[in-house]
Amino acid sequence: MARSLKKGPYVEASLMRQVNQTDGKGIVRTWSRRSMIIPGFVGRTFHVHNGKLFMPVFVTENMVGHRLGEFAPTRKQTSHAGDRRLKQR
Amino acid sequence: MARISGVDLPREKAIEISLTYIYGIGRSAARRVCDLAEVPRAMKTHQLDETEVVRLRDAIESHYKVEGDLRREFQQNIKLLMDVGCYRGLRHRRGLPVRGQRTHTNARTRKGPRKAIAGKKKAPTKK
């Protein structure tokens, strides 16, 4: 079931605080993969934890409505030795 | 004879069914189009006169996105996911299931026919 519109998009309160504090520039480190990307995040860079590392995520307009975690894969992409044509990323 | 949105409709079927040969029109959309165009749903396609065909055409054009336009939109939506670099886009790029299904087994619709792995021993067949 989809989230009620009345509540608005979910953004972790602590993330929101961090974003507001580092106005404009400045990279925000976060574990909050579940937070929705809101229009105010466009043009900012987030370092999103993938369980091991912080993946840099530069937010563009098209990403609005997705969640931060969608851009920081938690799994290694598999490939076999001698695999011809390894797909880019 | 009746040509709507670049598709030839089968002559011998009821118009309600014939319309579903158009990409983007299923049974319920076909019914709605018939009602909008005020054409009896059960009428055979070859019995339609010109004005009825025109009405159907207008009804589809003004209410539905069909055929090429719809396919293009579909592809664009996928492309957008791929360009933005999100998880769903990555899955599309790799040709794997997008909505969290298992891939250990199955997932053949997305992955295509099984590929043999060189040097892999066949499991012994049970007696």
Side-chain angles (χ1 to χ4, degrees):
Chain A
M1 188 191 272
R3 183 179 167 86
S4 160
L5 285 176
K6 157 187 109 177
K7 300 181 188 178
Y10 177 77
V11 183
E12 201 108 29
S14 57
L15 177 67
M16 213 53 232
R17 219 177 307 123
Q18 257 188 306
V19 170
N20 291 334
Q21 272 169 13
T22 57
D23 243 347
K25 289 277 140 57
I27 291 161
V28 177
R29 254 186 180 213
T30 183
W31 282 261
S32 175
R33 300 168 53 82
R34 57 188 183 173
S35 289
M36 187 88 88
I37 294 172
I38 57 173
F41 292 179
V42 173
R44 304 285 307 262
T45 301
F46 292 83
H47 278 186
V48 183
H49 199 66
N50 69 0
K52 185 177 182 185
L53 301 164
F54 290 91
M55 307 290 285
V57 174
F58 177 76
V59 176
T60 62
E61 211 173 307
N62 286 336
M63 294 184 184
V64 171
H66 291 260
R67 285 160 197 278
L68 283 174
E70 289 185 58
F71 301 97
T74 57
R75 282 158 207 258
K76 239 185 188 168
Q77 296 226 330
T78 56
S79 64
H80 295 286
D83 231 4
R84 217 81 34 105
R85 73 175 196 102
L86 277 174
K87 288 224 178 122
Q88 66 281 41
R89 273 201 48 167
Chain B
M1 74 170 208
R3 233 181 129 72
I4 297 183
S5 328
V7 181
D8 276 317
L9 299 182
R11 308 186 71 237
E12 294 302 328
K13 291 181 192 280
I15 185 64
E16 181 188 3
I17 306 295
S18 291
L19 287 174
T20 65
Y21 282 67
I22 301 167
Y23 182 84
I25 305 284
R27 284 297 297 273
S28 70
R31 282 185 192 185
R32 188 149 168 259
V33 169
C34 289
D35 293 351
L36 286 165
E38 284 165 8
V39 173
R41 292 170 183 177
M43 201 164 178
K44 298 287 183 220
T45 305
H46 63 90
Q47 291 169 342
L48 294 169
D49 62 36
E50 264 318 302
T51 58
E52 286 167 328
V53 173
V54 169
R55 284 208 305 269
L56 287 169
R57 203 171 283 145
D58 290 345
I60 288 175
E61 258 163 40
S62 50
H63 290 86
Y64 291 97
K65 200 168 199 179
V66 292
E67 286 295 325
D69 286 344
L70 185 59
R71 287 200 181 97
R72 214 166 305 126
E73 187 190 343
F74 187 79
Q75 287 306 323
Q76 264 165 9
N77 291 343
I78 292 175
K79 195 171 173 304
L80 189 73
L81 289 174
M82 295 204 276
D83 290 344
V84 85
C86 71
Y87 183 74
R88 280 174 68 197
L90 299 181
R91 301 299 282 181
H92 274 294
R93 241 185 263 170
R94 297 222 122 198
L96 290 168
V98 173
R99 298 184 180 176
Q101 298 96 322
R102 64 155 30 208
T103 53
H104 187 108
T105 66
N106 299 336
R108 287 339 299 192
T109 304
R110 286 288 292 175
K111 287 163 103 178
R114 289 170 203 284
K115 291 153 217 139
I117 299 160
K120 183 166 179 174
K121 270 187 222 140
K122 248 196 184 159
T125 42
K126 257 193 212 144
K127 239 223 95 187

